[in-house]
């Protein structure tokens, strides 16, 4: 809070102007200074000084008197500061909580113009590109459901010198999970899927699992929060001796991108065939007891969707793409002609950029097998944000999901982690960072939801930053909030921190 007050003072404290003011101008300057002191005093529980004159506190007096005496000759910055100061104190004084008081002052601070926000965000994006060495990156931002900026940097195809544009199609990797979660949420709220029943109710051929000699049950709820105990790509837990050695020497633990299963080249005809990769392997731990991020778990989710809908998962998800208006979102198939599709790149052991090797992602459609553009990902984000806020609007149009369903999906689940933001954990198909402020005047952690993605030759992120206002507030139009998405055509590029920073910059932007 004090930082914002300091900024506020800095804006209106012009000592060089003060020197050139006559007595009445100086009275006005002292008036705005007194208002700022009132804000600080009120925050500290101090009462106004009884010796303050009524004239110092009377905005109408100063407004009328200065216009009468000075007209347009008075420095308008000083006059405006008085207006803002008087209004700011009343907002501050009448606010009933720290957050509302913070918002009261923030609302008085000068808003960034759209161009200013874009220039800052562009610089941040270029920094990511330069630091990571990725050949191409595409970014897009929306405010309140309206796309306000999208731009491509670098190349989607280095060899043929094809530049990245907002229409460039790239692998979105694990952002496929939140899209699949929308399908699960719909089946769940429609009563077609019970996410708390054992998956064998829908998949009778899925092997019964045991942990420490006792039978255990896996539910869809556990699957979508990475609590099922089903392994990821790493099989090292199967070798007990290797596990002991790895604990002694962490350098032996391979990253996800070093595992052979990550680079499968076989085409899997259906989800059932994909299950054969891992369904007979023992669980890593008891379901519900620990968090283990696993794309294979989402293959099981897609099998459950098939069982409930009586349709192939690929047909179900293509229908969802159509419903959402995501016309440039596809299955990551190698055979079809997909215009504006980017090439994929990695760095070799010498750090040199090379073409990524061929892979077939048909074994993990739901967990990381989609292609998309930044524009389509914003459309998806808007649909989710609109669904969350439907109870806060008089709009007759319903959301794809009910507000209560979205609240549950975006609620932090116990025993979960978030690898790309340690402040958060996992919800249902989404990373969730809760609102938190541990100390007075300390860092205020904003609520937001996110998902990143890492694939062979691609990295991605989607961040949704809802407004931090009272949830009981009613909006004239939806959705409300800032959405940011970034996609690159190179493996292992961290994007979440930059995307969140960009979201906060555009949140301060006056785009009207």
């Amino acid at each position: 809070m004090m930082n914002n007050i300091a900024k506020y003072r800095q804006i209106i404290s012009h000592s060089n102007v003060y020197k050139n003011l006559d007595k009445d101008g100086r009275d006005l300057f002292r008036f705005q200074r007194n208002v700022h002191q009132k804000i600080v005093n009120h925050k500290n529980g101090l009462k106004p000084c009884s010796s303050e004159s009524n004239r110092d506190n009377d905005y109408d007096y100063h407004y009328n008197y200065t216009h009468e005496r000075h007209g347009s000759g008075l420095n308008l910055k000083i006059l405006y500061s008085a207006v803002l100061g008087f209004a700011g104190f009343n907002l501050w004084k009448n606010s009933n909580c720290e957050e509302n008081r913070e918002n009261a002052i923030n609302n008085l601070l000068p808003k960034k113009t759209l161009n200013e926000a874009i220039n800052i965000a562009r610089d941040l994006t270029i920094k990511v590109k330069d630091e990571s060495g990725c050949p191409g990156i595409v970014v897009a931002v929306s405010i309140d459901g309206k796309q306000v900026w999208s731009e491509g940097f670098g190349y989607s195809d280095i060899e043929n010198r094809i530049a990245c544009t907002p229409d460039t199609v790239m692998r979105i990797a694990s952002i496929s999970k939140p899209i699949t979660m929308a399908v699960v949420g719909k089946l769940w709220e429609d009563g077609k899927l019970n996410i708390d029943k054992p998956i064998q109710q829908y998949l009778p051929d899925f092997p019964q699992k045991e942990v420490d000699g006792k039978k255990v049950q896996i539910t869809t709820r556990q699957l979508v929060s990475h609590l099922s105990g089903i392994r990821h790509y790493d099989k090292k837990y199967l070798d007990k001796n290797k596990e002991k050695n790895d604990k002694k020497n962490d350098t032996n633990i391979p990253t996800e991108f070093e595992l052979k299963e990550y680079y499968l080249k076989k085409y899997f005809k259906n989800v059932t065939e994909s299950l054969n990769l891992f369904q007979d392997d023992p669980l890593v731990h008891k379901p519900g007891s620990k968090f283990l991020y696993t794309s294979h778990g989402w293959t099981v989710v897609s099998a459950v969707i098939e069982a409930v809908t009586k349709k192939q998962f690929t047909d179900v998800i293509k229908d969802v793409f159509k419903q959402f208006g995501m016309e440039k979102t596809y299955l990551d198939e190698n055979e079809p002609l997909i215009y504006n599709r980017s090439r994929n790149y990695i760095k070799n052991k010498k750090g040199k950029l090379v073409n990524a090797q061929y892979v077939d992602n048909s074994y993990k459609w739901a967990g990381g097998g989609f292609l998309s553009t930044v524009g389509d990902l914003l459309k998806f984000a808007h649909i989710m944000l609109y669904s969350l806020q439907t109870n806060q609007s008089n709009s007759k149009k319903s959301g794809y999901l009910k507000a209560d369903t979205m609240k549950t999906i975006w609620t932090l689940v116990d025993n979960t982690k978030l690898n790309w933001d340690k402040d958060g954990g996992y919800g249902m198909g989404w990373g969730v960072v809760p609102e938190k402020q541990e100390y007075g005047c300390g860092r205020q952690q904003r609520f937001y939801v996110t998902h990143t993605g890492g694939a062979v030759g691609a990295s991605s992120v989607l961040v949704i930053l809802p407004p931090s206002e009272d949830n009981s507030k009613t909006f004239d139009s939806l959705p409300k909030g800032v959405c940011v998405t970034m996609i690159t055509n190179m493996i292992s590029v961290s994007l979440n921190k930059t995307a969140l920073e960009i979201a906060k910059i555009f949140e301060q932007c006056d785009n009207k």
Side-chain angles (χ1 to χ4, degrees):
M1 185 64 221
M2 293 301 295
N3 288 336
N4 282 333
I5 291 177
K7 292 178 184 177
Y8 190 29
R9 281 177 167 165
Q10 189 177 25
I11 293 168
I12 50 77
S13 296
H14 302 280
S15 58
N16 59 324
V17 175
Y18 180 80
K19 293 177 182 178
N20 297 322
L21 292 175
D22 61 12
K23 178 181 181 300
D24 297 310
R26 295 187 183 190
D27 284 345
L28 183 56
F29 192 94
R30 286 194 295 272
F31 161 66
Q32 54 83 16
R33 181 192 63 196
N34 289 340
V35 169
H36 298 148
Q37 189 59 51
K38 286 175 181 292
I39 293 175
V40 177
N41 289 347
H42 192 86
K43 177 175 177 61
N44 296 327
L46 302 176
K47 294 182 179 180
C49 177
S50 59
S51 64
E52 291 174 342
S53 69
N54 290 332
R55 194 173 84 163
D56 281 342
N57 298 309
D58 189 346
Y59 162 70
D60 289 328
Y61 168 83
H62 283 289
Y63 181 85
N64 295 327
Y65 185 74
T66 52
H67 264 271
E68 181 179 315
R69 289 288 304 276
H70 299 277
S72 60
L74 178 69
N75 187 288
L76 291 180
K77 288 184 179 179
I78 299 299
L79 179 59
Y80 291 160
S81 72
V83 175
L84 293 177
F86 190 81
F89 175 65
N90 284 320
L91 283 169
W92 168 265
K93 180 179 67 176
N94 295 324
S95 296
N96 57 8
C97 71
E98 185 71 21
E99 180 182 342
N100 289 339
R101 291 170 182 165
E102 173 80 6
N103 290 336
I105 299 303
N106 283 337
N107 288 336
L108 294 175
L109 294 173
K111 297 286 187 180
K112 287 183 174 62
T113 66
L114 185 58
N115 284 337
E116 286 173 338
I118 290 173
N119 286 336
I120 296 171
R122 181 181 288 119
D123 184 58
L124 289 172
T125 304
I126 293 172
K127 284 180 181 178
V128 170
K129 184 181 182 304
D130 291 344
E131 291 172 4
S132 65
C134 65
I137 186 169
V138 189
V139 59
V141 180
S142 68
I143 304 176
D144 298 343
K146 179 183 178 182
Q147 182 174 302
V148 295
W149 177 53
S150 62
E151 191 170 351
F153 302 86
Y155 293 98
S156 66
D157 184 333
I158 292 179
E159 292 164 303
N160 295 297
R161 313 308 286 168
I162 299 174
C164 283
T165 74
D167 291 326
T168 299
V169 177
M170 294 185 179
R171 287 174 173 160
I172 62 171
S174 287
I175 297 179
S176 305
K177 293 178 176 73
I179 298 175
T180 301
M181 186 62 221
V183 180
V184 174
K186 191 67 173 176
L187 295 174
W188 176 31
E189 70 178 20
D190 288 346
K192 298 177 180 179
L193 169 63
N194 187 328
I195 63 173
D196 294 310
K197 287 192 175 181
I199 58 173
Q200 279 81 5
Q201 177 167 326
Y202 305 101
L203 307 172
D205 294 332
F206 193 86
Q208 176 67 54
K209 298 299 180 181
E210 293 185 358
V211 176
D212 297 330
K214 296 180 180 179
K215 290 184 178 181
V216 294
Q217 303 291 348
I218 298 173
T219 67
T220 304
R221 185 188 293 272
Q222 292 167 340
L223 287 167
V224 297
S225 296
H226 300 284
L227 293 170
S228 67
I230 290 175
R231 70 172 177 85
H232 195 33
Y233 303 121
D234 193 358
K235 296 183 180 181
K236 73 177 186 298
Y237 77 103
L238 296 173
D239 185 344
K240 300 299 182 181
N241 292 327
K242 187 177 188 305
E243 183 177 2
K244 292 179 181 179
N245 291 332
D246 286 344
K247 288 181 179 180
K248 294 179 181 178
N249 185 5
D250 289 342
T251 59
N252 291 335
I253 301 176
T255 65
E256 175 180 300
F257 307 118
E258 295 174 313
L259 300 170
K260 291 182 179 179
E261 205 166 74
Y262 199 74
Y263 297 92
L264 292 178
K265 296 175 174 59
K266 175 185 175 182
Y267 176 74
F268 289 77
K269 296 178 181 178
N270 51 52
V271 172
T272 302
E273 188 176 346
S274 301
L275 293 176
N276 292 330
L277 276 172
F278 59 88
Q279 67 176 2
D280 292 325
D281 294 336
L283 298 182
V284 180
H285 55 73
K286 182 180 178 181
S289 65
K290 295 180 182 179
F291 178 84
L292 176 64
Y293 190 91
T294 167
S295 291
H296 285 328
W298 282 85
T299 300
V300 182
V301 172
S302 65
V304 171
I305 291 172
E306 285 192 346
V308 173
T309 61
K310 310 299 182 186
K311 297 178 181 178
Q312 293 286 323
F313 174 76
T314 51
D315 293 333
V316 173
I317 205 65
K318 285 179 182 178
D319 187 53
V320 169
F321 295 159
K322 184 177 181 180
Q323 290 181 55
F324 288 0
M326 298 169 69
E327 298 175 352
K328 298 175 182 177
T329 303
Y330 316 89
L331 297 174
D332 186 5
E333 298 175 289
N334 291 291
E335 195 171 272
L337 296 177
I338 298 177
Y339 291 98
N340 299 312
R341 184 180 346 203
S342 174
R343 297 286 294 269
N344 303 298
Y345 301 93
I346 61 173
K347 288 184 178 179
N348 63 19
K349 293 181 179 180
K350 295 182 179 180
K352 183 179 179 180
L353 193 71
V354 297
N355 288 313
Q357 63 195 85
Y358 170 83
V359 294
D360 192 307
N361 288 321
S362 58
Y363 71 99
K364 58 174 181 180
W365 293 132
F370 304 158
L371 305 171
S372 193
T373 62
V374 289
D376 269 13
L377 289 183
L378 286 185
K379 290 179 181 179
F380 168 65
H382 298 161
I383 291 169
M384 296 296 99
L385 194 54
Y386 185 100
S387 296
L388 175 74
Q389 298 168 340
T390 48
N391 289 346
Q392 297 175 249
S393 171
N394 297 322
S395 174
K396 295 181 179 179
K397 294 183 179 180
S398 60
Y400 178 77
L401 296 173
K402 296 176 182 177
D404 288 342
T405 304
M406 283 306 308
K407 288 177 183 177
T408 303
I409 289 173
W410 284 358
T411 296
L412 191 63
V413 175
D414 292 340
N415 294 331
T416 62
K417 300 177 183 178
L418 194 60
N419 295 333
W420 55 91
D421 189 335
K422 302 300 182 183
D423 289 326
Y426 212 81
M428 300 173 71
W430 286 87
V432 178
V433 178
E435 188 160 330
K436 180 181 177 182
Q437 186 174 22
E438 192 169 355
Y439 306 108
C441 297
R443 183 176 80 99
Q444 188 172 8
Q445 181 176 293
R446 284 287 304 280
F447 168 82
Y448 78 99
V449 294
T450 167
H451 216 291
T452 62
V456 176
S459 304
S460 60
V461 68
L462 176 60
V463 163
I464 300 178
L465 183 67
S468 59
E469 300 169 353
D470 185 355
N471 290 333
S472 63
K473 182 176 180 179
T474 300
F475 300 110
D476 294 330
S477 62
L478 295 179
K480 295 293 181 183
V482 179
C483 304
V484 178
T485 184
M486 306 175 78
I487 319 176
T488 78
N489 53 359
M490 193 179 79
I491 202 169
S492 300
V493 181
S494 297
L495 298 170
N496 188 79
K497 184 178 179 180
T498 301
L500 179 60
E501 189 173 355
I502 290 174
K504 290 180 178 179
I505 289 167
F506 278 86
E507 188 180 43
Q508 302 170 22
C509 177
D510 186 0
N511 67 317
K512 296 179 182 178

